[in-house]
């Protein structure tokens, strides 16, 4: 402290004048930081005349509220000016996100992560494991499901479906797949057998459906079911197809596409807001929602908005940005989702009937270009995530671990991530977040993770599916 004060006394603090509010470059948060903060806290937040913001030594506090308060009110007695008159709440919020981001980047550079090659034993907090290639030669597998006879089906983003046999050794491309738009974030998404597949043979699929409407190409997430016969999909039936008038343009972003059956046999599926935030709050369009239907696509009489004539009756919950993972908690049968935030604010949510998950009104993130979006992270009538990731890890698919090979991981959530290339284990208790760890990192983008019938975890990597099993 003595040293800081001595250093501060060398600075022309008395003469420090803040730029006029209209002279602040508000475009990107990195500019704002460089312009207003770097001189004292260091260009990389490493500290200088003012304390480092990268270590865990906080004078006031490193939580969102304390950071915002420090910036707003400053520490005038210690030489930090107040910024309340210079920066608005949104700009202060984007600086808070920026501080979290820079801390995570610095922490990651200091951490040695597992990136196990086949047959190399990796350790983690509770179990030692190996990660071995199980099926090779795939092209961006998006989801996978096992059939009762041990075979598996994997969708590939580009619009193909692979049947995987002989314990991962034999791949056959299935014929009769519907036309699929695979531009941008569009593609072939979910595959999920009916809970009673052994008797009825139904398999459910979600995909980006390319259509023509009034002469224009349009695309939206569509759900079908079909049967697998002689290497082809047959008996296709629509489970959910929106009216073409609401289909946005082709390719594009935020299509959702996750599928889950709950214990009562209801099917849930997600559709992202297609890059238009207000869709998520608009009950008259299917985008930005989690939906619930009977296994044949009929609308359950107890869906929350069935009696609202202006609402899409399949909606179960709304205010979602881009949910790419759905899972049923084996402890209590509840529905959960993981969804991409913008820059910051990826979420794990407990998804409940009729509730609003807040996007784009509340979020823990900001715009990708570093401009602020909102300072609101919470609001009456809007649900908080159970956990959020800031900075974003670009969260993808999820599974609740329900196998027996890893007893200490039972009922934990496993989530993959695209940009951060991480597999994370998240521990919940009574529906609340307890802890998490990164099991491995840097083996490529992870689109999904599945609990296999053998109790191993199957991780979908860019060109292969790897089996995560206990180290012998
Ligand atoms: C003129 C130098 C100066 C400038 C400019 C400055 N700070 Fe500070 N800041 C300080 C000092 C000195 C402290 C330590 C206060 C103390 O000792 O209590 C501090 C403390 C903080 C804290 C509290 C840290 C903790 O440990 O709890 C935060 C957060 C912070 N500054 C963020 C910022 C941000 C963001 C900016 C730019 C918008 C900024 N500061 C600009 C000097 C500065």
């Amino acid at each position: 402290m003595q040293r800081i004060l001595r250093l501060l006394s060398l600075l022309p603090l008395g003469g420090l004048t803040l730029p006029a509010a209209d002279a602040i470059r508000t475009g990107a948060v990195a500019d704002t930081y460089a312009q207003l903060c770097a001189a004292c806290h260091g260009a990389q937040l490493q500290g200088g005349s003012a304390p480092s913001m990268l270590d865990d030594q906080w004078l006031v506090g490193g939580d969102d509220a304390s950071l915002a308060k420090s910036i707003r009110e400053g520490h005038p007695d210690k030489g930090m000016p107040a910024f309340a008159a210079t920066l608005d709440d949104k700009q202060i919020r984007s600086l808070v996100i920026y501080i979290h981001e820079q801390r995570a980047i610095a922490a990651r550079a200091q951490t040695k992560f597992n990136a196990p090659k086949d047959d190399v034993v990796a350790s983690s907090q509770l179990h030692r494991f190996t990660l071995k290639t199980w099926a090779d030669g795939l092209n961006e597998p998006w989801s996978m499901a096992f059939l009762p006879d041990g075979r598996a089906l994997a969708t590939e983003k580009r619009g193909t479906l692979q049947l995987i046999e002989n314990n991962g050794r034999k791949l056959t491309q299935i014929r009769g797949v519907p036309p699929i738009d695979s531009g941008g974030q569009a593609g072939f998404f979910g595959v999920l057998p009916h809970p009673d597949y052994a008797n009825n043979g139904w398999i459910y699929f979600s995909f980006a459906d390319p259509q023509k409407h009034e002469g224009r190409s349009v695309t939206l997430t569509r759900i079908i079911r079909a049967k697998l016969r002689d290497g082809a999909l047959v008996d296709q039936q629509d489970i959910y197809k929106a009216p073409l008038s609401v289909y946005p343009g082709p390719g594009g972003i935020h299509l959702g596409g996750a599928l889950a059956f709950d214990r009562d046999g209801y099917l849930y599926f997600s559709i992202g807001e297609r890059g238009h935030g207000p869709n998520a709050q608009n009950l008259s369009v299917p985008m930005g929602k989690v939906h619930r239907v009977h296994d044949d696509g009929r609308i359950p009489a107890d869906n929350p908005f069935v009696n609202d004539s202006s609402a899409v009756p399949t909606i179960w919950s709304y205010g979602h940005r881009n949910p790419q993972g759905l899972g049923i908690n084996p402890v209590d049968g509840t529905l959960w989702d993981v969804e991409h935030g913008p820059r910051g604010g990826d979420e794990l949510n407990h998804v409940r009937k009729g509730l609003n998950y807040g996007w784009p009104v509340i979020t823990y993130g900001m715009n990708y270009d570093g401009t602020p979006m909102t300072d609101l992270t919470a609001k009456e009538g809007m649900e908080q995530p159970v956990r959020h990731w800031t900075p974003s890890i670009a969260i993808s698919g999820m599974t609740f671990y329900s196998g027996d090979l890893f007893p200490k991981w039972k009922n934990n959530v496993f989530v993959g991530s695209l940009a951060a290339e991480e597999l994370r284990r998240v521990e919940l208790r009574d529906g609340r977040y307890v802890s998490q760890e990164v099991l491995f990192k840097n083996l490529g983008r992870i689109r999904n993770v599945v609990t296999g019938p053998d109790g191993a975890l199957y991780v979908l990597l860019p060109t292969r599916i790897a089996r995560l099993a206990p180290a012998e």
Side-chain angles (χ1 to χ4, degrees), residues 240-398:
Y240 179 80
K241 185 183 175 196
L244 293 185
S245 58
V246 306
Y247 271 49
I253 57 173
H254 306 170
L255 290 105
L259 297 172
F261 272 106
D262 73 5
R263 288 176 183 171
D264 298 323
Y266 291 105
L267 176 71
Y268 298 84
F269 58 91
S270 64
I271 303 183
E273 39 75 306
R274 295 304 320 274
H276 183 59
N279 279 339
Q281 295 294 320
N282 177 356
L283 291 175
S284 69
V285 295
M287 292 82 93
K289 314 293 181 325
V290 172
H291 300 260
R292 174 186 188 243
V293 291
H294 287 291
D295 64 349
D296 58 0
R298 277 177 305 118
I299 294 154
D302 61 345
N303 265 10
F305 302 107
V306 276
N307 296 321
D308 176 346
S309 61
S310 63
V312 176
T314 49
I315 294 175
W316 179 249
S317 61
Y318 64 111
H320 298 286
R321 187 172 179 272
N322 189 22
Q324 288 200 317
L326 286 173
I328 301 296
N329 190 332
V331 177
D332 53 14
T334 51
L335 177 70
W336 293 65
D337 91 335
V338 285
E339 58 187 81
H340 293 275
R343 180 165 161 188
D346 289 359
E347 297 183 354
L348 170 68
N349 289 303
H350 175 189
V351 177
R352 283 165 294 168
K353 178 178 177 174
L355 297 186
N356 181 354
Y357 289 81
W359 176 257
V361 181
I362 58 171
T363 175
Y364 285 89
M366 62 180 161
N367 292 309
Y368 287 106
D369 64 3
T371 52
M373 188 173 275
T374 171
D375 61 309
L376 294 185
T377 54
K379 196 175 174 179
E380 184 72 35
M382 296 185 180
E383 302 308 305
Q384 283 292 302
V386 172
R387 184 71 189 172
H388 70 90
W389 284 271
T390 304
S392 295
I393 53 177
I395 204 145
S396 51
M398 68 174 280

Side-chain angles (χ1 to χ4, degrees), residues 1 8 13 16 36-37 40-41 50-51 53 57-61 67 70-71 75 78-81 83 87 95 99:
M1 200 63 231
L8 280 175
L13 277 177
L16 183 100
L36 297 181
C37 323
C40 297
H41 288 282
M53 290 193 265
Q57 317 282 306
W58 294 105
L59 301 161
V60 186
L67 292 173
S70 283
I71 302 169
H75 298 279
K78 308 277 174 43
M80 172 166 164
F83 287 93
L87 298 171
L95 278 167
I99 293 169

